[in-house]
Amino acid sequence: MSYYRHHVFFCCNQRDDGRPCCNAKGASGLRDYAKQRAKELDLAGGVRINQAGCLDRCEEGPCIVVYPEAVWYTYVDRADIDEIIDEHLQNGRVVERLRI
Ligand code: FES
């Protein structure tokens, strides 16, 4: 049994050598947005959102992984984050269109 109902890791790795990285695609800002939304929706007790370093799926990013299901997603904007929160974190339904 996991401690959190859902534990979400956002890769926020920043590279400055020209290689792809999640932070160059808006990861930090959307991590902050996700945390804010989780708080507003009062998910905080069961959902934990943490920053991670490189998760080694850089080409497919920006990426997050949701445990305990170990489901990976990519996203481009707030609407995608809203969908992951509403569907997966609140209702337990995997968002297949964003899955990687
Ligand atoms: S930089 Fe995000 S997975 Fe590597």
Side-chain angles (χ1 to χ4, degrees), residues 10-15 19-23 27 52-63 72:
F10 269 75
C11 172
C12 292
N13 189 44
Q14 175 70 48
R15 286 204 184 94
R19 288 187 295 159
C21 67
C22 296
N23 211 39
C54 179
L55 297 172
D56 206 22
R57 296 188 75 171
C58 322
E59 312 286 343
E60 302 167 275
C63 60
W72 291 75

Side-chain angles (χ1 to χ4, degrees), residues 21-41:
C21 67
C22 296
N23 211 39
K25 300 171 190 167
S28 292
L30 286 165
R31 173 212 55 207
D32 290 347
Y33 175 72
K35 289 180 101 149
Q36 176 201 320
R37 284 298 293 149
K39 191 173 176 183
E40 286 169 0
L41 295 167

Side-chain angles (χ1 to χ4, degrees), residues 74-89:
T74 190
Y75 55 87
V76 295
D77 55 20
R78 288 184 174 200
D80 288 345
I81 297 297
D82 285 341
E83 189 171 345
I84 292 166
I85 290 173
D86 293 347
E87 288 296 307
H88 193 147
L89 304 187

Side-chain angles (χ1 to χ4, degrees), residues 1-11 46-57 63-73 84 88-90 92 94 99-100:
M1 178 100 183
S2 62
Y3 186 77
Y4 299 112
R5 185 161 45 85
H6 294 294
H7 200 169
V8 184
F9 293 90
F10 269 75
C11 172
V47 173
R48 180 77 175 176
I49 295 172
N50 282 124
Q51 174 173 328
C54 179
L55 297 172
D56 206 22
R57 296 188 75 171
C63 60
I64 66 173
V65 58
V66 180
Y67 290 105
E69 299 91 343
V71 171
W72 291 75
Y73 292 115
I84 292 166
H88 193 147
L89 304 187
Q90 289 196 285
V94 172
R99 200 169 185 176
I100 56 173

